[in-house]
Amino acid sequence: MGNTNKLEIDVNGARTSLAGLDRQGLADALGHIGVPERQRRMRVAQLWGWLYVRGVTRFDDMSDVSKELRAKLAAAYSLERPEIVSEQVSVDGTRKWLLRLPKRGHDMRAPEVETVYIPEADRGTLCISSQVGCTLTCSFCHTGTQKLVRNLEQQEIVGQILLARDRIGDWPGAAAPQDGRLLPESDRKITNIVLMGMGEPLYNFDNVRRAMSVAADGEGLSVSKRRITLSTSGVVPEIGRWGSEAGTMLAISLHATRDELRNELVPINKRYPIAELMAACRSYPGVSNARRITFEYVLLKGINDSLADARALVKLLAGIPAKINLIPFNPWPGTRYECSEWGQIEAFADYVNAAGYASPVRTPRGRDILAACGQLKSESLKTRARDRVATQHANEPDVVG
Ligand code: SAH
Ligand code: SF4
């Protein structure tokens, strides 16, 4: 089991956190400290409830676990979540956490990622990261200017859900956080999860799959698979596998309907062009009119926002059970793109609506705290990115648009 090895290795000698492990990972962890095989199932069930129903952060709170075992667990493991460096609250209630992760292997310094909570009238969505940075370089994405540092571990992915629940008081009987900014009861619950933070989740397949199995587990965090959406830039060979092994909802970052333009906006398109991507969508396991694929389309002024583009989009998606999610471009320091004019966004949305797609324009949330799509990026790296983009501009006079 990969989990077994991970439990043994920790370069800093820090104790491995159990918070975020799946059942197999917990069983292995118990095995490591000498819990006999025949007891493990029962012990895993106990831990599961404490970790994922109650959200406890101390072994001592696990009142039905024997004192002796609690001591053994505490000596070998922790229940830590990723460390919160900062928490920002937007005027619209969106919250963004900057998290610091422990250094591993070849990390030069402690990596950082971001998690965003977006409360809405009928739902609360948590947008989580799957990698530190991203190996892909979509030209309109802030994260894409940051080099990949590493994949997130299973605990670091689930840990984002746990700490968000800690901070917004979303555990049964949870006490209000000290800062007095607790959201009203009706807004509290995290009902949906989107893998739309930093990173390309299909390039961290196993950790993301295990983490989502923990999130979806009906005896624990209980976020149903229909309320979990994985967004991919189009890693075609992994799409079908994700559908059959994880079975969550799928979102595709499409953004262009012609290969020539998509090659530029979403460079992975050069490897897996649009026709192959559409074929993978058509055969996505479980796809139906009740389980549609979301196509994300960021509207970039003068680049992909004409009515001809809207027509091409509708034509391309014909025959695929689809939803269209139009995203006004969220600018970030140093970008060469601009958000489409509001009138143009409306005209585009009207066309797509008239063609039979409910196509909500995704209202940008948390813009004041740079928490909107594609703006995620650790504070500490911003200066460097600005420099980099400025250099790029100087060297590349053929800026699109
Ligand atoms: N790597 C995955 C998931 C993270 S990005 C993917 O690309 O799908 C989540 C969504 O935000 C994607 O649709 C992405 O294209 C979009 N996005 C990135 N930068 C953006 C920006 N500056 N403005 C609006 N949307 C952006
Ligand atoms: Fe990576 Fe997604 Fe950003 Fe592209 S849009 S660079 S795949 S995070």
Side-chain angles (χ1 to χ4, degrees), residues 236-251:
V236 167
E238 305 289 3
I239 290 178
R241 183 157 86 93
W242 177 265
S244 49
E245 293 182 21
T248 71
M249 305 299 278
L250 179 68

Side-chain angles (χ1 to χ4, degrees), residues 134 136 138 140-142 195-201 231-233 251-255 296 298 327-332 362 373-375:
C134 189
L136 301 173
C138 302
F140 55 89
C141 173
H142 203 187
L195 283 152
M196 294 184 185
M198 284 185 183
E200 170 47 60
S231 173
T232 179
S233 57
I252 300 287
S253 294
L254 187 61
H255 310 315
E296 296 160 280
V298 62
I327 315 174
F329 171 63
N330 288 306
W332 37 272
R362 194 189 286 169
C373 299
Q375 293 182 311

Side-chain angles (χ1 to χ4, degrees), residues 38-185:
R38 61 179 192 286
Q39 283 184 21
R40 283 184 213 159
R41 239 183 119 95
M42 184 265 287
R43 295 296 184 199
V44 166
Q46 285 178 322
L47 287 177
W48 199 261
W50 290 114
L51 291 176
Y52 304 128
V53 178
R54 309 296 305 182
V56 303
T57 52
R58 296 172 344 142
F59 288 108
D60 270 348
D61 292 337
M62 302 181 168
S63 53
D64 62 357
V65 177
S66 75
K67 253 198 165 147
E68 191 201 340
L69 180 56
R70 280 184 342 224
K72 266 190 175 170
L73 285 167
Y77 305 115
S78 81
L79 294 174
E80 266 171 28
R81 288 89 158 94
E83 178 195 348
I84 300 178
V85 178
S86 68
E87 176 184 72
Q88 287 173 277
V89 184
S90 160
V91 286
D92 67 16
T94 299
R95 284 178 186 230
K96 180 172 87 168
W97 295 279
L98 177 66
L99 309 176
R100 184 177 297 134
L101 308 174
K103 286 207 264 186
R104 294 229 196 285
H106 300 293
D107 291 350
M108 300 287 283
R109 52 194 208 112
E112 293 174 345
V113 290
E114 287 167 334
T115 304
V116 180
Y117 172 65
I118 306 153
E120 287 173 278
D122 62 338
R123 68 183 67 189
T125 303
L126 192 70
C127 176
I128 64 184
S129 295
S130 55
Q131 299 184 306
V132 180
C134 189
T135 49
L136 301 173
T137 50
C138 302
S139 53
F140 55 89
C141 173
H142 203 187
T143 307
T145 64
Q146 182 184 338
K147 276 216 296 239
L148 175 77
V149 182
R150 69 166 165 84
N151 281 335
L152 265 58
E153 302 284 353
Q154 181 185 337
Q155 295 99 310
E156 294 167 338
I157 301 169
V158 177
Q160 295 172 63
I161 309 171
L162 303 179
L163 74 85
R165 283 199 166 186
D166 296 343
R167 293 300 303 157
I168 62 177
D170 198 17
W171 296 110
Q178 300 307 307
D179 64 4
R181 286 186 300 211
L182 188 65
L183 300 169
E185 189 87 42

Side-chain angles (χ1 to χ4, degrees), residues 219-279:
E219 290 167 22
L221 294 170
S222 277
V223 181
S224 109
K225 286 182 176 180
R226 302 199 50 170
R227 289 176 170 271
I228 298 177
T229 303
L230 174 133
S231 173
T232 179
S233 57
V235 187
V236 167
E238 305 289 3
I239 290 178
R241 183 157 86 93
W242 177 265
S244 49
E245 293 182 21
T248 71
M249 305 299 278
L250 179 68
I252 300 287
S253 294
L254 187 61
H255 310 315
T257 55
R258 295 176 286 118
D259 281 324
E260 195 196 355
L261 178 58
R262 197 164 188 270
N263 286 345
E264 198 175 293
L265 299 178
V266 188
I268 197 180
N269 193 70
K270 292 181 203 153
R271 238 158 91 220
Y272 309 115
I274 293 174
E276 290 178 26
L277 181 57
M278 290 302 126

